[in-house]
């Protein structure tokens, strides 16, 4: 029983959209090198970017593609419920927000790191994640606030 609890605690779900979100997420890999990692993103070719760990494709979506957003939400829900990670880390956007939300429902510790592309303001997903995530970070010192997001540096 104890080993099962330990394995859940050591299971990390690293999830993001494609492009810059994915690149930034991968730059954090050293933080979870010795853990059981599950990667999830929207582009199948991103599998080539990871050496080990389980890899899942989730539907890409944004606030302007409502049907795709529902498909993304259900896909992330199924992934989180199946894998039950102890920690969820995301650099955005919609897939990461859904993972943070469903992860909190299962008791996972969650971290949201807003994309470095959001230099002027926190993203919509980032604002929403700020209400849910255990840790809410920005990569721009000028965007940090006393109640979050917090700034501890950038990954690019």
């Amino acid at each position: 029983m104890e080993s099962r609890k330990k394995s859940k605690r050591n299971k990390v779900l690293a999830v993001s959209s494609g492009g810059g979100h994915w690149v930034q997420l991968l730059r954090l890999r050293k933080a979870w090198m010795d853990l059981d990692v599950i990667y999830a993103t929207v582009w199948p070719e991103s599998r080539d970017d990871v050496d080990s760990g389980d890899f899942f494709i989730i539907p890409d979506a944004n606030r302007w593609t409502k049907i795709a957003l529902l498909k993304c939400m259900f896909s992330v829900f199924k992934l989180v419920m199946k894998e039950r990670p102890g920690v969820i880390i995301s650099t955005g956007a919609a897939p990461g927000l859904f993972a943070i939300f469903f992860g909190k429902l299962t008791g996972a510790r969650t971290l949201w790191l807003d994309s470095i592309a959001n230099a002027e303001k926190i993203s919509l997903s980032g604002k929403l994640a700020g209400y849910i995530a255990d840790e809410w970070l920005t990569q721009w010192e000028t965007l940090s606030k006393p109640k979050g997001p917090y700034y501890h540096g950038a990954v690019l």
Side-chain angles (χ1 to χ4, degrees), residues 61-73:
N62 60 52
R63 61 183 158 183
W64 297 284
T65 57
K66 304 298 186 212
I67 299 298
L69 203 57
L70 286 172
K71 289 177 182 178
C72 177
M73 182 182 71

Side-chain angles (χ1 to χ4, degrees), residues 72-88:
C72 177
M73 182 182 71
F74 286 117
S75 179
V76 172
F77 174 78
K78 286 178 8 183
L79 175 61
V80 171
M81 293 302 132
K82 175 184 174 222
E83 296 296 332
R84 300 286 180 148
V87 176
I88 297 175

Side-chain angles (χ1 to χ4, degrees), residues 17-144:
S17 296
H21 294 286
W22 180 247
V23 170
Q24 292 168 67
L25 185 69
L26 294 181
R27 296 224 172 173
L28 299 169
R29 281 187 284 198
K30 286 184 182 178
W32 56 73
M33 275 180 21
D34 298 328
L35 303 174
D36 181 14
V37 183
I38 303 157
Y39 293 97
T41 191
V42 298
W43 294 342
E45 59 272 16
S46 297
R47 176 67 180 111
D48 297 338
D49 298 332
V50 295
D51 296 334
S52 61
D54 291 331
F55 183 83
F56 292 90
I57 300 301
I58 47 182
D60 198 5
N62 60 52
R63 61 183 158 183
W64 297 284
T65 57
K66 304 298 186 212
I67 299 298
L69 203 57
L70 286 172
K71 289 177 182 178
C72 177
M73 182 182 71
F74 286 117
S75 179
V76 172
F77 174 78
K78 286 178 8 183
L79 175 61
V80 171
M81 293 302 132
K82 175 184 174 222
E83 296 296 332
R84 300 286 180 148
V87 176
I88 297 175
I89 298 169
S90 184
T91 51
L97 178 61
F98 292 137
I100 296 282
F101 178 76
F102 295 127
K104 288 304 291 182
L105 294 178
T106 64
R109 299 281 300 158
T110 58
L111 180 138
W112 178 275
L113 175 61
D114 214 47
S115 172
I116 199 163
N118 300 313
E120 303 290 320
K121 62 183 182 175
I122 299 297
S123 67
L124 175 60
S125 293
K127 287 177 187 174
L128 296 171
Y131 292 107
I132 307 165
D134 293 306
E135 190 69 31
W136 180 31
L137 304 174
T138 178
Q139 298 185 65
W140 295 98
E141 193 169 9
T142 56
L143 296 179
S144 68

